[in-house]
Amino acid sequence: MIALLLLANPSAGSKHTEMDKLHSFNIPAQRADRALTEFGRQADITIVFSFQATKPYKANTLRGRHSLRHGIHKLLHGSGLVARIGKSGQLSIDIQSQTERADTMKNNKTLLAAAVASAISATAAPSIAQDSTLEIEEVTVLGSRQAGRSAGDLPVPVDTLSADALSNSGQTEVGRMLQALAPSFNFPSSSISDGTDALRPATLRGLGPDQTLVLVNGKRRHQASLIHINTSVGRGTAGVDMNAIPAASIQRIEVLRDGAAAQYGSDAIAGVINIVLKDDNEAGHIGISNGEYSEGDGNTTNIDFSKGFTLGDDGYLNISGNLRDREHTNRAGLHGSCQFSGCVDTDGNGILEAGDPREITAPRQTFRIGDAESEQTALTLNAGVEIGSGELYGFATYSNRDNESAAFFRHNANNGGNAPLADGDATIPAGFLPKINSEIEDISVNIGYRMEFDSGATLDVSYTTGENTIDYTTSNSLNSSFANHLLNSTDMSDADIRGSVPRSARAYGLELGLDTFNVDFTQSYGDLALAAGAAIRKDSYKVIPGEEYAYRDYDTQNGMSLYSSDRSGGIQGFPGIGPQSAVDEERDVNSLYLDGEYQVTDDLMISAAMRYDDYDGFGNTVNYKLAGSFAASDTVRLRAAASTGFRAPSMQQLYFNNVSTQFVTDANGNLVAAERGTFRNDSAVAQAIGIPALKEEESLNLSFGIVADLSDQLNVTIDFYQVQIDDRIVISRGLGLGLNDELDAALNSAGASQAQFFLNGADTETKGVDIVASYEGIELGGGNLDITMAANYTKTDVTSLFTPANSGLSALSTDQVFSSQDISIIEEWQPKDRISVSGLYTNDNWTMNLSFNRFGEYTIEDGGRQTYGAEILTDLRVAYNFDNGFGINFGGNNIFDVTPDENQIGNSRSGAIEDGPGGNLIVDSKGVFTYSRRSAPFGFNGAYYYLGVTYDF
């Protein structure tokens, strides 16, 4: 049925004036038929469209002042609908297939000469059928290089998260936004885990952070230079900094939940995340919000802005940015152990009595356990302009983030870390809390040229460069060995020593770079669509030594103590890296791929892909993928895929090495400090025991899914998957003295009591299911309600552990090389299931989003074992948008202040102290770790409330 929405009828002579005239709009995202009705009403114009045909489609939010031409374009951007302007100025809406307006995985843009047949063209007036079409984009959805595919057509599951959905989550970080919207995505928190405090690991389907490929506008994104070597989720891996790109610059995020290494190369074992940047050439947005946690800390001010500009006649330049200032949070328990020497229990009541009068008044809130303090500035540019017969395009992203987190408190009686001087008192009498200051700088630049030939073939040539650097400074700390050296080698007084010892030092720097040159070609032959391409890539990695004071052991030489007393070397909390551990390495990668899709019948589509990659180091690998999609009926589509994949050893796994203080759990369940060295596989220590070079991980992915369009409003998808990974790269436990004579000698030379290595040491199997259901267009109270449910269940098992053959480790049992905690991190430290249910309600100027997020059980091994129960978090965001473009919003994340179960294992600094025999209790604490510091899937800060204002123009 064709509906003619008659609101006004501008004359032909004024059509251009009317199309360029500015109007005020306030239209929330909703069903397209309703959005178009509102557009016509608010602009007071006539729109010709089919209510029935447009009803299944979803329109975007449109707010602020826009011309009719730009407004309708923005409203329908990526919806599958196209606006057409008739010769008389009449506006009509068509449904497009091959030429619908949606960004491609590569953000392909092309000006089409004509539109394909639409749902209303057969019955619309001839003048409309011959009308010109607004500039639109050819659609290529992540997972396919062919235009015209929707996510429902694909043989693999792809989630599309719009900018509105990201904003409605109420989160300010992209990582947290993804976690709130995609249950298969995890973004866990940990604390006192060195660099991981400031750059959290992001995982998909319970696999490692480095087993998910991240793209920006379809181009491979560089990883962060950090590798997680402490005891946290993702230990031994390196992923992408998901928070380096501001949410203000994102048009949408596509999440491919299937192995795709045969299409996109290394890392795409769990799936692919593609961040599509804004390409609007007119609209502007400013958003300011402030919030804090119910405990009164973690105050966060967030400022977003974006503005589009026109380049040439049809080009675009979109500039977006973010300023975020977040204060730290602290959920530490009280320091229950003695901070000064001399504590005794004379009355036998099991409570220590203070032996030093300073113990009675010593502060008990000595630790800082929670989110790091953080200040971020980020800027993104995305541009495209027609030049010659094609389009010159490019983007640039930049972010700078300053973070401050804390290490373990060094108390007065910590003789190793807080050296006693001649008066018997510590160098820092009150003790000190070392701070880890990290500056993370991330930059990427892309430039490319793409064109479409008369035959329909396309060619895309591009170059992308990116770099992530991290500079670490340890402050409010002390190199205890230096104080001991001054005590024993100079005539300085205790006061002079205390006044002259440096309290901070630059620890070291990390730098990771990626340069990629791509050539991509597509061509269709009837129902057969082919794509081929090549990539030349260079990976680079540097470890930049820090200041001498940060790493040197001043009272030890060649492993021998220089004095009668020996104190800990390196600056406490986060020691530095010396020149002997400097790294400057590069790697070349060359790749070729071929993939195709064949529409066998109207109901059956088959796709296949093959990719060849050649790496410096381990050599080459060839991977394959076969997938298909079959329409079993008008409402049910079946899909399945099988693929091989791989992940090359990261540059960090190949070359990172240092000695750091890690607090590990001993056989009695107590946390003890260990100087643990991480040694690269070509180091003298590794070579001494015959550890071989790393090789690639290999994977086999199998998936099967059902897509059911049960009605115009209800859609359900169910996808089962299995991922087998062989030769998974894992990091060993700390291997100490006494296992091997050569290892003992190497450890003594390196000044470490333990060594850990990266090894191809495990086979794993992951099985799971994803369920996504949406029910849209529910009429309620004069408004519109959309309900979405998404669920994920994942179980990973370590099926085999092994040590390198013919090495010094082969004589050891796997239990000696890999701890049960190492296995637990892979299998148990992330929730086995996640369920999210959200409702988006819009009514005139009001928008309300209510979400329930269930995090399933997970188990932590840390000395003992503890299973943390499932929890449900509730998020609420309410917004009101005025007709003049201004808006206000308020809400909360985890509004009912849910926290994980309190920690029962792996605690520290527990105890009770009284001021004398049978006297007053000074402190009685279970320990400083109220919640597990190792892994907290949704953190442990509690409820967060915020208020914000926006302006769209």
Side-chain angles (χ1 to χ4, degrees):
M1 181 185 75
I2 304 302
L4 183 63
L5 180 63
L6 293 174
L7 295 171
N9 188 16
S11 66
S14 62
K15 60 182 179 182
H16 296 295
T17 302
E18 287 297 320
M19 290 306 297
D20 295 326
K21 181 180 177 182
L22 293 178
H23 296 264
S24 293
F25 293 99
N26 187 0
I27 304 174
Q30 57 186 297
R31 263 174 30 195
D33 60 324
R34 292 175 174 170
L36 289 166
T37 301
E38 275 300 301
F39 186 92
R41 183 183 66 81
Q42 294 180 23
D44 193 26
I45 63 164
T46 302
I47 307 176
V48 178
F49 68 99
S50 165
F51 282 109
Q52 192 63 32
T54 58
K55 185 177 179 181
Y57 295 86
K58 185 73 173 287
N60 305 305
T61 297
L62 180 66
R63 293 192 175 97
R65 291 179 62 78
H66 304 275
S67 67
L68 295 180
R69 190 185 309 275
H70 179 264
I72 194 68
H73 175 77
K74 184 176 176 64
L75 185 73
L76 301 180
H77 186 79
S79 67
L81 300 175
V82 170
R84 305 174 67 197
I85 306 171
K87 294 180 180 179
S88 63
Q90 177 65 64
L91 189 61
S92 63
I93 308 300
D94 282 359
I95 301 171
Q96 297 295 324
S97 56
Q98 297 296 322
T99 59
E100 57 195 358
R101 169 72 172 164
D103 290 299
T104 72
M105 177 199 63
K106 300 174 179 149
N107 207 25
N108 281 339
K109 292 188 65 131
T110 179
L111 184 64
L112 302 182
V116 298
S118 70
I120 65 173
S121 62
T123 54
S127 62
I128 295 179
Q130 298 169 5
D131 290 339
S132 63
T133 304
L134 294 174
E135 183 183 347
I136 61 178
E137 288 177 20
E138 203 170 26
V139 61
T140 304
V141 180
L142 180 65
S144 170
R145 288 187 168 89
Q146 309 309 323
R149 298 290 183 209
S150 69
D153 294 331
L154 296 176
V156 291
V158 177
D159 299 321
T160 300
L161 310 176
S162 67
D164 282 340
L166 297 174
S167 175
N168 285 330
S169 71
Q171 303 287 347
T172 59
E173 299 179 353
V174 171
R176 289 295 189 202
M177 291 175 180
L178 276 168
Q179 185 179 42
L181 298 172
S184 59
F185 181 90
N186 282 308
F187 197 59
S189 298
S190 61
S191 192
I192 312 189
S193 52
D194 293 349
T196 305
D197 288 359
L199 207 160
R200 292 194 292 271
T203 71
L204 195 63
R205 286 183 163 177
L207 295 176
D210 53 4
Q211 290 161 335
T212 297
L213 175 63
V214 178
L215 311 174
V216 175
N217 281 359
K219 310 300 182 185
R220 177 180 286 266
R221 177 76 172 177
H222 58 275
Q223 290 183 326
S225 51
L226 170 73
I227 186 163
H228 305 286
I229 60 172
N230 264 301
T231 310
S232 67
V233 170
R235 181 172 184 261
T237 68
V240 171
D241 184 357
M242 298 303 298
N243 290 333
I245 298 178
S249 69
I250 297 175
Q251 184 163 289
R252 70 173 184 272
I253 298 178
E254 300 167 343
V255 182
L256 167 60
R257 294 179 276 116
D258 195 67
Q263 295 167 285
Y264 303 115
S266 177
D267 307 347
I269 292 178
V272 182
I273 296 174
N274 182 36
I275 298 174
V276 180
L277 302 177
K278 288 181 179 178
D279 62 358
D280 195 291
N281 64 359
E282 182 176 333
H285 172 83
I286 297 174
I288 303 174
S289 68
N290 180 265
E292 68 177 23
Y293 289 95
S294 56
E295 293 287 333
D297 59 6
N299 185 278
T300 301
T301 299
N302 191 76
I303 302 174
D304 289 326
F305 68 90
S306 65
K307 180 68 176 79
F309 302 91
T310 300
L311 291 183
D313 294 332
D314 300 298
Y316 63 93
L317 169 64
N318 194 278
I319 303 176
S320 305
N322 169 257
L323 300 173
R324 185 172 67 245
D325 185 354
R326 184 188 70 195
E327 297 177 359
H328 71 268
T329 62
N330 190 8
R331 301 295 176 268
L334 299 179
H335 191 141
S337 60
C338 289
Q339 299 181 34
F340 298 85
S341 59
C343 288
V344 292
D345 179 15
T346 60
D347 57 7
N349 66 352
I351 301 176
L352 293 174
E353 299 138 18
D356 187 311
R358 292 175 294 180
E359 192 76 64
I360 298 174
T361 57
R364 294 295 156 185
Q365 193 76 54
T366 58
F367 278 67
R368 203 172 88 184
I369 302 169
D371 285 350
E373 183 178 314
S374 175
E375 294 182 6
Q376 173 164 299
T377 302
L379 182 68
T380 299
L381 284 75
N382 189 34
V385 62
E386 290 186 18
I387 294 181
S389 58
E391 182 192 43
L392 180 68
Y393 66 90
F395 64 81
T397 68
Y398 172 80
S399 72
N400 181 280
R401 187 162 73 248
D402 290 320
N403 310 276
E404 183 185 85
S405 57
F408 268 70
F409 180 76
R410 267 63 173 179
H411 52 72
N412 179 285
N414 183 344
N415 291 342
N418 195 359
L421 301 182
D423 59 7
D425 207 359
T427 305
I428 311 298
F432 57 93
L433 181 66
K435 305 290 178 58
I436 304 171
N437 303 98
S438 59
E439 181 183 6
I440 305 175
E441 191 170 65
D442 196 289
I443 187 169
S444 67
V445 177
N446 163 265
I447 187 169
Y449 186 77
R450 52 181 163 239
M451 60 185 301
E452 182 175 358
F453 301 96
D454 293 340
S455 64
T458 67
L459 178 66
D460 187 340
V461 181
S462 66
Y463 170 73
T464 307
T465 183
E467 183 178 270
N468 178 274
T469 62
I470 307 178
D471 289 312
Y472 290 108
T473 297
T474 307
S475 62
N476 194 47
S477 188
L478 169 72
N479 186 327
S480 189
S481 71
F482 182 70
N484 194 44
H485 171 66
L486 295 179
L487 172 67
N488 287 278
S489 64
T490 71
D491 58 0
M492 294 176 65
S493 68
D494 291 349
D496 288 341
I497 294 175
R498 290 188 175 105
S500 62
V501 290
R503 299 299 306 278
S504 67
R506 186 175 61 83
Y508 60 88
L510 300 172
E511 182 179 305
L512 183 134
L514 174 66
D515 293 272
T516 309
F517 177 76
N518 289 96
V519 177
D520 301 287
F521 178 82
T522 68
Q523 174 70 71
S524 295
Y525 303 92
D527 292 327
L528 175 65
L530 297 176
I536 300 173
R537 197 173 106 205
K538 182 178 288 293
D539 300 329
S540 61
Y541 181 62
K542 293 181 181 179
V543 177
I544 303 164
E547 298 177 54
E548 180 182 277
Y549 185 77
Y551 62 80
R552 183 175 170 183
D553 190 344
Y554 288 90
D555 59 8
T556 302
Q557 186 172 341
N558 297 325
M560 301 297 293
S561 298
L562 297 176
Y563 314 113
S564 58
S565 60
D566 191 359
R567 308 306 177 193
S568 299
I571 194 163
Q572 288 290 295
F574 195 79
I577 289 179
Q580 72 277 10
S581 297
V583 173
D584 188 356
E585 300 285 351
E586 291 184 343
R587 175 175 68 183
D588 292 323
V589 184
N590 298 310
S591 306
L592 298 170
Y593 75 84
L594 175 68
D595 69 26
E597 296 178 359
Y598 182 54
Q599 195 72 42
V600 182
T601 68
D602 289 343
D603 297 327
L604 177 64
M605 189 268 284
I606 300 293
S607 68
M610 178 176 69
R611 187 180 179 98
Y612 169 85
D613 293 272
D614 183 73
Y615 278 75
D616 282 351
F618 70 81
N620 59 69
T621 178
V622 180
N623 290 277
Y624 308 91
K625 183 167 187 173
L626 180 65
S629 175
F630 176 69
S633 68
D634 291 341
T635 59
V636 176
R637 180 177 291 274
L638 307 178
R639 58 191 181 192
S643 65
T644 63
F646 78 105
R647 189 189 70 80
S650 69
M651 297 293 283
Q652 302 94 315
Q653 290 172 330
L654 289 169
Y655 299 116
F656 179 78
N657 57 143
N658 86 327
V659 177
S660 64
T661 304
Q662 296 187 27
F663 284 82
V664 297
T665 308
D666 65 14
N668 298 318
N670 299 313
L671 282 178
V672 295
E675 296 302 313
R676 179 176 290 183
T678 303
F679 297 98
R680 53 194 276 182
N681 286 33
D682 60 356
S683 66
V685 177
Q687 293 301 305
I689 54 176
I691 292 179
L694 293 173
K695 60 181 181 179
E696 76 276 20
E697 301 174 348
E698 296 180 339
S699 66
L700 174 64
N701 288 63
L702 302 173
S703 64
F704 172 77
I706 301 171
V707 181
D709 295 311
L710 302 180
S711 71
D712 290 343
Q713 297 173 288
L714 178 61
N715 173 271
V716 179
T717 66
I718 305 173
D719 290 278
F720 302 89
Y721 58 90
Q722 176 177 297
V723 185
Q724 293 178 331
I725 303 175
D726 294 336
D727 296 319
R728 187 161 172 170
I729 298 173
V730 290
I731 192 168
S732 73
R733 72 190 306 172
L735 304 175
L737 299 171
L739 295 176
N740 178 286
D741 291 340
E742 292 84 359
L743 177 61
D744 290 353
L747 285 174
N748 288 327
S749 176
S753 58
Q754 296 181 348
Q756 58 189 15
F757 307 94
F758 290 99
L759 306 168
N760 292 101
D763 295 339
T764 65
E765 181 180 74
T766 299
K767 294 181 178 180
V769 60
D770 291 322
I771 302 174
V772 179
S774 61
Y775 196 100
E776 299 181 343
I778 303 171
E779 297 182 0
L780 181 66
N784 182 80
L785 174 65
D786 296 336
I787 299 176
T788 302
M789 187 280 290
N792 168 264
Y793 172 82
T794 294
K795 187 176 189 299
T796 295
D797 293 312
V798 176
T799 58
S800 178
L801 288 172
F802 41 88
T803 55
N806 304 315
S807 72
L809 300 182
S810 58
L812 304 177
S813 68
T814 55
D815 291 343
Q816 291 177 287
V817 179
F818 305 107
S819 69
S820 57
Q821 185 185 61
D822 294 326
I823 301 170
S824 179
I825 291 173
I826 296 174
E827 294 185 337
E828 302 177 312
W829 283 29
Q830 300 184 71
K832 284 187 171 60
D833 61 87
R834 284 276 317 279
I835 301 174
S836 172
V837 178
S838 63
L840 176 65
Y841 181 71
T842 57
N843 192 335
D844 292 331
N845 295 34
W846 289 96
T847 300
M848 183 178 75
N849 192 77
L850 177 65
S851 299
F852 303 95
N853 292 286
R854 182 187 187 275
F855 293 79
E857 288 185 353
Y858 60 100
T859 299
I860 302 293
E861 180 168 330
D862 192 20
R865 287 175 57 82
Q866 181 177 351
T867 297
Y868 296 82
E871 302 288 355
I872 298 176
L873 275 63
T874 305
D875 300 339
L876 176 65
R877 183 178 187 272
V878 178
Y880 183 86
N881 294 282
F882 299 93
D883 294 338
N884 59 5
F886 283 94
I888 60 171
N889 62 83
F890 60 90
N893 297 323
N894 186 14
I895 60 176
F896 296 119
D897 200 24
V898 176
T899 56
D901 296 340
E902 292 196 1
N903 190 36
Q904 305 296 326
I905 59 172
N907 222 319
S908 182
R909 310 301 193 265
S910 61
I913 307 172
E914 56 189 3
D915 58 8
N920 296 316
L921 201 63
I922 299 171
V923 64
D924 185 4
S925 172
K926 295 179 181 179
V928 294
F929 298 119
T930 306
Y931 308 102
S932 174
R933 74 182 182 100
R934 301 299 192 185
S935 178
F938 54 89
F940 44 72
N941 289 319
Y944 178 82
Y945 304 105
Y946 59 86
L947 174 67
V949 295
T950 60
Y951 178 58
D952 293 288
F953 57 97

